[in-house]
Amino acid sequence: MALFKNPFDADRRIRRGCDCGRHESQSAHERAIRAEAAEVSATEDGRYQRVVENAVMRALFPQDAQRRFFLKQVGASTALAAISSLFPLAAATEAFAQAVPEKKDLKVGFIPITCATPIIMASPMGFYAKHGLNVEVIKTAGWAVIRDKTINKEYDAAHMLSPMPLAISMGAGSNPIPYTMPAVENINGQAITLAMKHKDKRDPKSWKGFKFAVPFDYSMHNYLLRYYLAENGIDPDTDVQIRAVPPPEMVANLRADNIDGFLAPDPVNQRAVFDGVGFIHILSKEIWDGHPCCAFAASREFVTQTPNTYAALLKAIIDATAFASKAENRKAIAEAIAPANYLNQPVTVVEQVLTGTYADGLGNVRRDPKRIDFDPFPWEGFAVWILTQMKRWGQIKGDVDYAKVAKEVFLQTDTAKLMTEVGLTPPTGSKTIVVMGKTFDATKPEDYIKSFAIKRT
């Protein structure tokens, strides 16, 4: 008889019906629980709720036997009510749902250069997966193709030159479409490389008549080359020729004597040295130490319509960039990004770029650990400087609200917030910009443009 059963035996029931007392039998109780679970799990919110509930229950009951014993004694509904009174399950579920990416399968285009290191390495080294994303990184032929495929939504986001989102937003070279640049991919990492026949022409004043290549019209390469030439008295539009050539084709053009040199991203410069067709004249960091080059970019539509996906993607990029900034990780990164589906370069070429110990093509081994570096913060001052050069050379005309455009495109606030969320400390204050010894005041962009003797405006 039930009256004489041991009430402290967890395997014995001391009353009729189910454990919770609301059903005729234990089997009816279990059927009701299964039906309730199916109903809850049928909706997206229900799935999020189950994830949160599971996490809470695992924390409260490290041993599953404890959880089952508790539920047998009080029933699921009573247990849920009791735990909800102590822990805000509804609020936690809502917060969790807000953090889940709306879209997990993404396509991100890149150009095969070391500037794209964080975007590329985030795939083989697991940074996208860490943030809940399945990202296909797609090697792309040139910057115009990157731009067009991103605008046409074939790519969700892309590796771009840092001036490109500004140009796209302002309608320079394409129809105006609001674009964003929430992370810098790399700083420094470029060089002016000349053909070996010019090894005795190191004075830029002797370069009249030279033919140069840059990756794209809207690029730091174009602006830094123009700046360097103009500071040495060479008008970049009348004294030399500058044309856009995709980075993978630059060394072949140098070898074929179609160009005299280029200001290019690596590993192009180092590959010219490796192949014996060129030498490194000057690193871009010797023109402006700490300059931005490439960037992670996406349309404003992508940012606003899939905010959780955007945040997860940006976190992955920030995480990868922080990893790449550490010298001790560079050799492993070189090995990860050198293969054919990424850079398609000998590992030794990529290592020389990333480690900063490299041959310059003139018989010297140089050491500069900051030849290329990685810092994701998109300073608005960078954007203002780029805009001054776009106006200086006639790419944009009329009045420009420099501060407004910079704030809308270079998402400094977003990056600071997400850097904090991944455990990094964002910088504060403003960034000092010095180009060839001349300090740039981002609050006086028009005065800066007027200060140049050679300009188109």
Side-chain angles (χ1 to χ4, degrees), residues 3 13 31 47 55 93 116 126 142 151 159 161 268 275 279 294 300 322 337 382 419 428:
L3 181 63
R13 298 207 332 264
R31 283 197 301 273
R47 285 192 287 273
T93 299
I151 289 174
H159 161 217
L161 299 158
V268 175
D275 289 357
F279 67 92
C294 287
R300 184 162 293 280
I337 68 176
F382 288 166
M419 284 180 73
T428 57

Side-chain angles (χ1 to χ4, degrees), residues 72-236:
K72 282 181 180 180
Q73 301 309 303
V74 304
S77 298
T78 303
L80 178 61
I83 292 170
S84 295
S85 68
L86 300 172
F87 185 86
L89 288 175
T93 299
E94 183 179 357
F96 177 75
Q98 289 175 352
V100 173
E102 301 86 356
K103 181 179 180 181
K104 295 183 179 181
D105 296 329
L106 303 172
K107 291 183 178 180
V108 176
F110 74 93
I111 301 292
I113 55 179
T114 50
C115 301
T117 292
I119 284 176
I120 298 171
M121 60 171 271
S123 181
M125 300 185 87
F127 289 93
Y128 294 128
K130 174 184 174 182
H131 292 277
L133 301 174
N134 176 32
V135 176
E136 180 185 2
V137 289
I138 304 172
K139 184 157 64 173
T140 309
W143 296 110
V145 179
I146 282 272
R147 177 193 62 199
D148 295 345
K149 283 183 176 288
T150 311
I151 289 174
N152 295 335
K153 300 181 182 178
E154 294 177 58
Y155 296 161
D156 296 285
H159 161 217
M160 284 188 177
L161 299 158
S162 52
M164 286 175 66
L166 293 165
I168 295 170
S169 296
M170 299 189 71
S174 64
N175 292 326
I177 299 171
Y179 252 69
T180 68
M181 201 211 83
V184 172
E185 285 299 286
N186 69 295
I187 56 175
N188 302 333
Q190 329 300 307
I192 296 177
T193 295
L194 299 178
M196 290 304 298
K197 67 180 182 180
H198 296 309
K199 63 181 180 179
D200 295 323
K201 293 184 178 179
R202 302 298 302 279
D203 185 352
K205 294 180 176 62
S206 67
W207 292 355
K208 284 191 177 183
F210 275 25
K211 296 177 181 177
F212 285 101
V214 294
F216 200 56
D217 290 340
Y218 302 98
S219 69
M220 287 299 295
H221 313 82
N222 187 27
Y223 305 138
L224 290 175
L225 178 60
R226 286 172 170 271
Y227 196 108
Y228 182 74
L229 292 170
E231 289 297 293
N232 283 282
I234 300 291
D235 190 313

Side-chain angles (χ1 to χ4, degrees), residues 336-350:
I337 68 176
N341 55 326
Y342 299 130
L343 297 187
N344 193 27
Q345 296 288 341
V347 173
T348 184
V349 169
V350 183

Side-chain angles (χ1 to χ4, degrees), residues 424-436:
L424 300 174
T425 303
T428 57
S430 59
K431 183 75 170 178
T432 300
I433 295 173
V434 181
V435 187
M436 294 186 71

